Amino acid sequence: KKLHRQALILEQLGHGFEDELLFKGADLILEAGARLAVIGENGVGKTTFLRCLVDQLQAKEGVVKWSENATIGYCPQDSTADFAEDLSLFDWMSQWRTPKHDDLAVRAMLGSLLFSADDFNKKAKVCSGGEKNRLLFGKLMMSDINVLIMDEPTNHMDMEAIEALNNALKKFDGTLIFVSHDRQFVSSLATRVIEINNQEVINFQGTYNEYLASRKEAQAKA
């Protein structure tokens, strides 16, 4: 389904653990089709922010409102739980099939993810980090989603795979929210930027390069 107007509204979203506040006061209206990059130093709460959005964590304060037509796909940074069962690649990918996917469609998906027919009986849990990322992308591609949330999707990937992912995400006509430390990846995709810094959530309407320019300008005035 297509989303119309807003995909997501955040009102004063905040979260932390025990005595440590990670971020607070996040206000956001995200238009359908936007590509939002969530940036910040290590440990500021970017993964926690995404997990609050997908309801893996109950935010300590504030509200997360998704469009009623939002169908969300989440690609976590730590995919251990996704590969806990002792399944072959074919059986693992078959978990996500819908009535329109027959065995041939599952094999075609694995082939498009650069797995050979010899790999289909290999155990998914013994795959490398990059291979697991590719399998997760396949899971998302088999699901009819219109919102894609990705946490460091380029981890364990070589330049060729990153470029292929980048091109695929540019063609994705849904809403994208992603965390990445890869500046080139961020600058080529983002139409909106959130930076988590000193517990504050800075919301910028514009590209990553525009955000860097505005920050430089603010520092020059300070």
Side-chain angles (χ1 to χ4, degrees):
K1 287 183 180 177
K2 280 268 189 188
L3 291 182
H4 302 290
R5 299 173 62 196
Q6 287 92 31
L8 172 67
I9 297 173
L10 302 182
E11 296 173 357
Q12 291 292 300
L13 186 71
H15 196 74
F17 298 103
E18 293 175 3
D19 298 333
E20 183 193 15
L21 177 69
L22 287 172
F23 57 84
K24 62 182 180 184
D27 285 317
L28 173 74
I29 298 174
L30 188 67
E31 304 80 14
R35 297 198 293 258
L36 172 68
V38 181
I39 63 171
E41 299 294 327
N42 286 341
V44 296
K46 301 185 297 295
T47 293
T48 300
F49 181 81
L50 294 191
R51 291 183 68 204
C52 288
L53 298 189
V54 298
D55 208 25
Q56 280 194 0
L57 285 174
Q58 180 66 50
K60 289 275 175 69
E61 53 193 50
V63 178
V64 176
K65 288 184 194 168
W66 286 103
S67 163
E68 61 182 28
N69 289 332
T71 309
I72 301 163
Y74 177 47
C75 185
Q77 188 175 350
D78 179 2
S79 60
T80 308
D82 289 273
F83 297 97
E85 293 184 50
D86 198 28
L87 299 173
S88 68
L89 265 63
F90 180 83
D91 290 339
W92 189 91
M93 193 58 73
S94 294
Q95 296 177 103
W96 318 113
R97 67 208 282 176
T98 63
K100 67 184 177 187
H101 296 120
D102 58 11
D103 284 3
L104 198 61
V106 176
R107 290 193 183 98
M109 176 59 71
L110 288 168
S112 72
L113 298 167
L114 309 180
F115 293 105
S116 70
D118 292 340
D119 292 324
F120 292 0
N121 290 321
K122 182 168 114 173
K123 297 296 186 185
K125 61 163 47 170
V126 304
C127 285
S128 69
E131 288 172 330
K132 286 177 177 174
N133 267 15
R134 292 189 340 241
L135 288 169
L136 287 171
F137 300 154
K139 167 189 171 180
L140 295 170
M141 288 157 71
M142 289 184 80
S143 312
D144 290 324
I145 59 170
N146 50 29
V147 177
L148 186 48
I149 300 181
M150 309 183 94
D151 193 356
E152 297 285 9
T154 61
N155 277 2
H156 314 296
M157 293 174 72
D158 59 27
M159 290 304 297
E160 190 180 0
I162 290 171
E163 193 175 334
L165 175 64
N166 195 309
N167 290 334
L169 291 175
K170 282 178 180 173
K171 291 174 188 167
F172 177 58
D173 62 1
T175 305
L176 173 65
I177 301 173
F178 68 103
V179 166
S180 179
H181 64 276
D182 184 330
R183 290 189 168 204
Q184 193 173 348
F185 187 77
V186 172
S187 65
S188 68
L189 283 171
T191 59
R192 297 275 307 262
V193 176
I194 270 181
E195 180 175 13
I196 303 176
N197 187 10
N198 290 329
Q199 301 175 349
E200 299 297 328
V201 179
I202 303 157
N203 178 8
F204 183 78
Q205 179 93 37
T207 68
Y208 180 60
N209 290 336
E210 288 168 343
Y211 176 62
L212 292 180
S214 77
R215 205 168 66 171
K216 199 177 280 185
E217 193 177 316
Q219 286 169 348
K221 286 178 181 171

